[in-house]
Protein backbone atom coordinates (compact mmCIF):
# COMPACT_ATOMS: atom_id res chain seq x y z
CA UNK A 1 0.00 0.00 0.00
CA UNK A 2 0.85 3.67 -0.16
CA UNK A 3 3.37 5.05 2.32
CA UNK A 4 3.63 8.79 2.98
CA UNK A 5 6.54 10.39 4.82
CA UNK A 6 6.37 13.97 6.07
CA UNK A 7 9.13 16.34 7.23
CA UNK A 8 9.81 18.12 9.46
CA UNK A 9 7.81 16.88 12.42
CA UNK A 10 8.03 20.31 14.07
CA UNK A 11 8.64 23.72 12.54
CA UNK A 12 8.95 27.08 14.27
CA UNK A 13 9.01 30.36 12.32
CA UNK A 14 8.74 34.04 13.06
CA UNK A 15 5.55 35.81 12.06
CA UNK A 16 5.89 37.02 8.49
CA UNK A 17 8.39 34.33 7.46
CA UNK A 18 7.63 31.48 5.08
CA UNK A 19 7.11 27.85 6.08
CA UNK A 20 7.70 24.79 3.92
CA UNK A 21 6.56 21.25 4.69
CA UNK A 22 7.64 18.34 2.50
CA UNK A 23 6.11 14.93 1.82
CA UNK A 24 7.14 11.91 -0.21
CA UNK A 25 4.92 9.06 -1.36
CA UNK A 26 5.68 5.57 -2.57
CA UNK A 27 2.88 4.53 -4.95
CA UNK A 28 3.33 6.03 -8.41
CA UNK A 29 -0.38 5.38 -9.07
CA UNK A 30 -1.42 7.98 -6.46
CA UNK A 31 -3.04 10.94 -8.17
CA UNK A 32 -4.59 13.05 -5.43
CA UNK A 33 -2.63 14.97 -2.77
CA UNK A 34 -4.59 16.99 -0.19
CA UNK A 35 -3.29 18.96 2.77
CA UNK A 36 -5.22 19.20 6.03
CA UNK A 37 -4.85 21.61 8.94
CA UNK A 38 -5.77 20.54 12.46
CA UNK A 39 -5.97 23.05 15.28
CA UNK A 40 -5.60 21.83 18.84
CA UNK A 41 -8.57 19.72 19.90
CA UNK A 42 -10.37 20.17 16.59
CA UNK A 43 -11.06 18.11 13.51
CA UNK A 44 -8.81 18.15 10.42
CA UNK A 45 -9.91 20.52 7.67
CA UNK A 46 -8.82 20.63 4.05
CA UNK A 47 -6.77 23.70 3.15
CA UNK A 48 -5.57 22.88 -0.36
CA UNK A 49 -5.25 19.89 -2.67
CA UNK A 50 -3.57 19.06 -5.97
CA UNK A 51 -4.11 16.42 -8.61
CA UNK A 52 -1.34 14.63 -10.45
CA UNK A 53 -1.97 16.44 -13.72
CA UNK A 54 -1.02 19.78 -12.12
CA UNK A 55 2.44 20.85 -10.95
CA UNK A 56 1.50 23.77 -8.71
CA UNK A 57 -1.59 25.29 -7.15
CA UNK A 58 -1.98 28.51 -5.15
CA UNK A 59 -4.65 29.87 -2.87
CA UNK A 60 -3.76 33.24 -1.39
CA UNK A 61 -0.86 32.64 1.04
CA UNK A 62 -0.67 28.89 0.58
CA UNK A 63 0.65 26.88 -2.34
CA UNK A 64 1.36 23.27 -3.09
CA UNK A 65 3.89 21.90 -5.56
CA UNK A 66 4.07 18.37 -6.93
CA UNK A 67 6.99 16.54 -8.53
CA UNK A 68 5.62 13.27 -9.89
CA UNK A 69 8.98 12.03 -11.10
CA UNK A 70 10.53 12.33 -7.65
CA UNK A 71 7.25 11.44 -5.93
CA UNK A 72 7.26 14.36 -3.57
CA UNK A 73 5.01 17.32 -2.88
CA UNK A 74 5.34 20.36 -0.66
CA UNK A 75 3.18 22.90 1.15
CA UNK A 76 4.35 26.51 1.15
CA UNK A 77 2.87 29.12 3.48
CA UNK A 78 4.00 32.71 2.96
CA UNK A 79 3.67 35.68 5.32
CA UNK A 80 2.86 33.39 8.22
CA UNK A 81 0.53 34.58 10.96
CA UNK A 82 -0.02 33.29 14.52
CA UNK A 83 -3.34 31.76 13.42
CA UNK A 84 -1.39 29.51 11.04
CA UNK A 85 -0.10 27.65 14.12
CA UNK A 86 -1.51 24.11 13.92
CA UNK A 87 -0.63 20.58 12.86
CA UNK A 88 -0.52 20.08 9.10
CA UNK A 89 -1.01 16.70 7.42
CA UNK A 90 -0.25 15.71 3.88
CA UNK A 91 -1.99 12.75 2.26
CA UNK A 92 -1.93 10.72 -0.92
CA UNK A 93 -4.45 8.45 -2.59
CA UNK A 94 -5.78 7.15 -5.85
CA UNK A 95 -8.72 9.52 -6.33
CA UNK A 96 -9.95 9.97 -2.75
CA UNK A 97 -10.23 6.33 -1.81
CA UNK A 98 -7.96 4.57 0.68
CA UNK A 99 -6.19 7.80 1.63
CA UNK A 100 -2.87 7.58 3.50
CA UNK A 101 -1.65 10.42 5.68
CA UNK A 102 1.77 11.61 6.74
CA UNK A 103 2.60 11.76 10.44
CA UNK A 104 2.03 15.51 10.62
CA UNK A 105 4.03 18.71 11.12
CA UNK A 106 3.44 20.93 14.14
CA UNK A 107 3.89 24.51 12.93
CA UNK A 108 4.40 27.26 15.49
CA UNK A 109 4.36 30.89 14.34
CA UNK A 110 5.96 33.16 16.91
CA UNK A 111 4.66 36.74 17.07
CA UNK B 1 -26.98 20.67 7.72
CA UNK B 2 -25.36 19.08 10.76
CA UNK B 3 -22.50 17.77 8.57
CA UNK B 4 -20.69 14.74 10.01
CA UNK B 5 -21.69 13.80 13.55
CA UNK B 6 -20.12 11.29 15.89
CA UNK B 7 -21.23 9.81 19.18
CA UNK B 8 -20.10 9.47 21.86
CA UNK B 9 -17.49 12.23 22.28
CA UNK B 10 -15.69 10.35 25.04
CA UNK B 11 -15.72 6.70 26.07
CA UNK B 12 -13.84 4.58 28.59
CA UNK B 13 -13.88 0.80 28.15
CA UNK B 14 -12.36 -2.11 29.96
CA UNK B 15 -10.25 -4.64 28.09
CA UNK B 16 -12.47 -7.18 26.36
CA UNK B 17 -15.59 -5.02 26.19
CA UNK B 18 -17.24 -4.31 22.88
CA UNK B 19 -18.84 -1.12 21.67
CA UNK B 20 -20.00 0.76 18.59
CA UNK B 21 -18.89 4.23 17.59
CA UNK B 22 -21.61 5.99 15.67
CA UNK B 23 -21.10 8.18 12.61
CA UNK B 24 -23.76 9.90 10.54
CA UNK B 25 -23.78 12.48 7.76
CA UNK B 26 -26.67 14.42 6.26
CA UNK B 27 -24.94 15.59 3.07
CA UNK B 28 -25.86 12.55 0.93
CA UNK B 29 -22.18 11.65 0.61
CA UNK B 30 -21.35 8.32 -0.99
CA UNK B 31 -17.89 7.95 0.52
CA UNK B 32 -17.38 7.46 4.26
CA UNK B 33 -14.32 6.43 6.22
CA UNK B 34 -12.96 5.83 9.70
CA UNK B 35 -9.53 6.94 10.90
CA UNK B 36 -7.69 6.65 14.16
CA UNK B 37 -5.27 9.33 15.30
CA UNK B 38 -2.39 8.53 17.61
CA UNK B 39 0.35 10.94 18.70
CA UNK B 40 3.15 11.13 16.15
CA UNK B 41 1.41 8.78 13.72
CA UNK B 42 -1.00 10.98 11.86
CA UNK B 43 -4.34 9.65 10.70
CA UNK B 44 -4.53 5.99 9.83
CA UNK B 45 -7.39 4.60 7.76
CA UNK B 46 -9.30 1.75 9.41
CA UNK B 47 -12.16 1.03 6.99
CA UNK B 48 -13.93 2.89 4.24
CA UNK B 49 -17.11 2.62 2.19
CA UNK B 50 -17.86 3.84 -1.33
CA UNK B 51 -21.60 3.41 -0.93
CA UNK B 52 -24.36 1.59 0.91
CA UNK B 53 -23.61 -2.13 1.15
CA UNK B 54 -19.95 -1.71 0.16
CA UNK B 55 -17.04 -1.60 2.61
CA UNK B 56 -13.31 -2.18 2.34
CA UNK B 57 -10.32 -2.40 4.64
CA UNK B 58 -7.84 0.36 5.10
CA UNK B 59 -4.39 0.41 6.65
CA UNK B 60 -5.24 -0.84 10.17
CA UNK B 61 -8.50 -2.88 10.05
CA UNK B 62 -7.74 -5.57 12.64
CA UNK B 63 -10.03 -5.52 15.66
CA UNK B 64 -12.68 -3.38 13.95
CA UNK B 65 -15.82 -4.14 11.95
CA UNK B 66 -17.99 -1.84 9.86
CA UNK B 67 -21.20 -2.02 7.92
CA UNK B 68 -23.01 0.44 5.68
CA UNK B 69 -26.71 -0.31 5.50
CA UNK B 70 -27.71 3.27 4.64
CA UNK B 71 -26.04 6.19 2.90
CA UNK B 72 -26.20 8.25 6.09
CA UNK B 73 -24.70 5.92 8.71
CA UNK B 74 -21.34 4.20 9.03
CA UNK B 75 -20.86 2.65 12.51
CA UNK B 76 -17.51 1.28 13.69
CA UNK B 77 -17.59 -1.74 15.99
CA UNK B 78 -14.82 -2.73 18.37
CA UNK B 79 -15.23 -6.45 18.92
CA UNK B 80 -13.05 -6.94 22.01
CA UNK B 81 -11.37 -3.73 23.11
CA UNK B 82 -7.63 -3.71 23.81
CA UNK B 83 -5.43 -0.98 25.34
CA UNK B 84 -3.76 -0.61 21.90
CA UNK B 85 -7.09 0.74 20.63
CA UNK B 86 -6.88 3.77 22.89
CA UNK B 87 -7.01 6.60 20.39
CA UNK B 88 -9.04 9.42 18.91
CA UNK B 89 -11.36 8.16 16.19
CA UNK B 90 -12.51 10.35 13.32
CA UNK B 91 -15.21 9.61 10.81
CA UNK B 92 -15.13 11.42 7.46
CA UNK B 93 -17.28 11.65 4.36
CA UNK B 94 -17.05 13.08 0.87
CA UNK B 95 -19.35 13.58 -2.07
CA UNK B 96 -18.97 10.95 -4.74
CA UNK B 97 -16.85 7.88 -4.37
CA UNK B 98 -14.03 7.74 -6.87
CA UNK B 99 -13.62 11.49 -7.01
CA UNK B 100 -11.33 14.29 -5.90
CA UNK B 101 -13.73 15.85 -3.45
CA UNK B 102 -12.88 17.13 0.01
CA UNK B 103 -13.31 14.79 2.95
CA UNK B 104 -15.29 16.37 5.79
CA UNK B 105 -14.36 15.12 9.23
CA UNK B 106 -16.56 14.63 12.27
CA UNK B 107 -15.61 16.05 15.70
CA UNK B 108 -13.98 12.81 16.84
CA UNK B 109 -14.45 10.26 19.63
CA UNK B 110 -11.78 9.96 22.30
CA UNK B 111 -11.61 6.32 23.41
CA UNK B 112 -9.65 5.02 26.36
CA UNK B 113 -9.30 1.28 26.96
CA UNK B 114 -8.12 0.30 30.43
Amino acid sequence: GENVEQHPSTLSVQEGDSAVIKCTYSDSASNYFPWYKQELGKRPQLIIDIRSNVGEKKDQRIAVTLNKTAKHFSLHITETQPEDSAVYFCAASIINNDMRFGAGTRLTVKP
Amino acid sequence: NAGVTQTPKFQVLKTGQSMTLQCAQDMNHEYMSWYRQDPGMGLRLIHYSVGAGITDQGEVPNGYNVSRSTTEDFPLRLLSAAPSQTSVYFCASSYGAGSYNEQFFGPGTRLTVL
Side-chain angles (χ1 to χ4, degrees), chain B residues 27-97:
Chain B
M27 299 174 282
N28 201 31
H29 285 174
E30 289 180 329
Y31 184 86
M32 296 186 74
S33 54
W34 276 102
Y35 296 89
R36 59 177 290 173
Q37 184 173 34
D38 303 294
M41 300 187 74
L43 293 149
R44 290 185 293 169
L45 182 66
I46 304 171
H47 287 284
Y48 65 98
S49 169
V50 298
I54 306 170
T55 63
D56 208 344
Q57 295 182 350
E59 186 180 0
V60 288
N62 292 342
Y64 307 95
N65 273 0
V66 292
S67 60
R68 184 95 179 271
S69 56
T70 67
T71 299
E72 294 78 19
D73 301 297
F74 191 43
L76 177 73
R77 281 182 289 277
L78 280 70
L79 310 172
S80 177
S84 61
Q85 294 179 304
T86 293
S87 188
V88 178
Y89 291 85
F90 287 99
C91 178
S93 73
S94 66
Y95 177 75

Side-chain angles (χ1 to χ4, degrees), chain A residues 2 31-32 36 38 41-46 49 51-52 87 89 94-104, chain B residues 4 31 35 37 40-43 45 48 50 57-59 90 94 96-103 105-107:
Chain A
E2 175 66 273
N31 59 7
Y32 179 57
Y36 285 82
Q38 186 178 30
K42 303 229 175 135
R43 70 192 79 185
Q45 290 191 296
L46 181 74
D49 56 11
R51 303 183 193 181
S52 60
V87 179
F89 294 98
I94 300 173
I95 40 182
N96 66 348
N97 293 352
D98 196 4
M99 188 169 291
R100 304 300 171 97
F101 284 76
Chain B
V4 181
Y31 184 86
Y35 296 89
Q37 184 173 34
M41 300 187 74
L43 293 149
L45 182 66
Y48 65 98
V50 298
Q57 295 182 350
E59 186 180 0
F90 287 99
S94 66
S99 67
Y100 301 96
N101 294 317
E102 174 182 0
Q103 287 200 67
F105 283 81

Side-chain angles (χ1 to χ4, degrees), chain A residues 60-104:
Chain A
Q60 300 183 329
R61 294 186 298 108
I62 60 174
V64 58
T65 59
L66 171 66
N67 183 326
K68 285 189 295 183
T69 302
K71 288 189 279 189
H72 66 70
F73 56 113
S74 301
L75 177 71
H76 305 254
I77 306 173
T78 59
E79 301 174 17
T80 54
Q81 302 167 2
E83 51 265 38
D84 294 329
S85 295
V87 179
Y88 292 81
F89 294 98
C90 62
S93 64
I94 300 173
I95 40 182
N96 66 348
N97 293 352
D98 196 4
M99 188 169 291
R100 304 300 171 97
F101 284 76

